[in-house]
């Protein structure tokens, strides 16, 4: 696994995946010398947690033949006050939409639990410094 990251000026960087050349723009806010033109590296960490776990959850639910029409994962992190300012607490909310999902609440929760406790590598790394809390919501 490899990425290349190129400086674009001020605090801006473009990350490029060696696997498929996909790009992501990173920057800081003006307060820290940037132009706020991209995602901050720490926001990317939270997005990586949501993406990693989301892929697990979708895969697990497909295997269980649980049908849903939408999934949104909201992640909020609290950082330490001292450098390196790692995440100390992370709250993750999985919101599923679809018909009759109230009957599938246990399957939804089990899929998230398996992801967070067993399969998601990002969660495994972040759990070394942060308390990760999660919940499942269902929308019709």
């Amino acid at each position: 696994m490899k990425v290349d990251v190129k400086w674009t000026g001020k605090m801006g960087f473009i990350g490029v995946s060696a696997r498929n050349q996909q790009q992501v723009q990173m920057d800081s806010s003006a307060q820290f010398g940037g132009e706020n033109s991209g995602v901050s590296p720490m926001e990317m960490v939270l997005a990586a947690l949501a993406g990693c776990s989301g892929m697990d959850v979708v895969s697990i639910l497909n295997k269980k033949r649980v049908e849903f029409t939408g999934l949104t994962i909201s992640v909020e992190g609290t950082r330490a006050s001292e450098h390196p300012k790692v995440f100390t607490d992370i709250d993750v909310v999985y919101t599923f939409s679809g018909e009759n999902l109230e009957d599938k609440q246990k399957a939804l929760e089990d899929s998230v639990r398996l992801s967070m406790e067993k399969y998601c590598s990002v969660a495994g790394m972040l759990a070394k410094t942060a308390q990760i809390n999660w919940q499942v919501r269902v929308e019709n």
Side-chain angles (χ1 to χ4, degrees), residues 19-36:
R19 178 176 54 89
N20 60 10
Q21 300 302 302
Q22 292 294 314
Q23 297 183 3
V24 62
Q25 187 168 338
M26 295 176 278
D27 198 2
S28 69
S29 65
Q31 174 186 1
F32 298 108
E35 295 179 327
N36 207 30

Side-chain angles (χ1 to χ4, degrees), residues 15-16 21 28 33 48-49 66 88 103 109-110 115 118-119 123-124 135-136:
V16 182
Q21 300 302 302
S28 69
L49 173 60
V66 174
T88 56
D103 301 339
E109 290 176 356
D110 287 346
S115 173
K118 184 175 183 178
Y119 294 115
Q135 63 178 295
V136 171

Side-chain angles (χ1 to χ4, degrees):
M1 194 171 285
K2 181 179 187 277
V3 297
D4 292 313
V5 178
K6 181 181 178 184
W7 179 56
T8 59
K10 292 192 178 184
M11 296 303 237
F13 289 86
I14 297 287
V16 182
S17 167
R19 178 176 54 89
N20 60 10
Q21 300 302 302
Q22 292 294 314
Q23 297 183 3
V24 62
Q25 187 168 338
M26 295 176 278
D27 198 2
S28 69
S29 65
Q31 174 186 1
F32 298 108
E35 295 179 327
N36 207 30
S37 65
V39 181
S40 79
M42 292 303 279
E43 288 170 329
M44 287 188 59
V45 170
L46 295 179
L49 173 60
C52 176
S53 180
M55 290 177 193
D56 291 341
V57 168
V58 167
S59 177
I60 293 165
L61 290 174
N62 283 340
K63 289 175 184 166
K64 292 183 176 203
R65 296 192 171 131
V66 174
E67 294 183 16
F68 57 96
T69 57
L71 170 58
T72 302
I73 305 167
S74 299
V75 186
E76 188 170 337
T78 303
R79 295 174 65 185
S81 57
E82 299 295 320
H83 287 286
K85 296 188 179 182
V86 298
F87 286 112
T88 56
D89 291 284
I90 300 173
D91 294 313
V92 187
V93 178
Y94 299 78
T95 303
F96 292 89
S97 55
E99 293 184 26
N100 302 317
L101 285 180
E102 298 83 6
D103 301 339
K104 306 291 185 189
Q105 184 80 24
K106 183 176 179 347
L108 299 174
E109 290 176 356
D110 287 346
S111 68
V112 171
R113 183 176 295 105
L114 279 169
S115 173
M116 288 301 214
E117 294 178 1
K118 184 175 183 178
Y119 294 115
C120 179
S121 303
V122 178
M125 287 189 294
L126 289 173
K128 306 268 187 223
T129 64
Q131 172 67 43
I132 302 175
N133 305 299
W134 57 267
Q135 63 178 295
V136 171
R137 293 183 181 161
V138 172
E139 289 181 345
N140 289 329

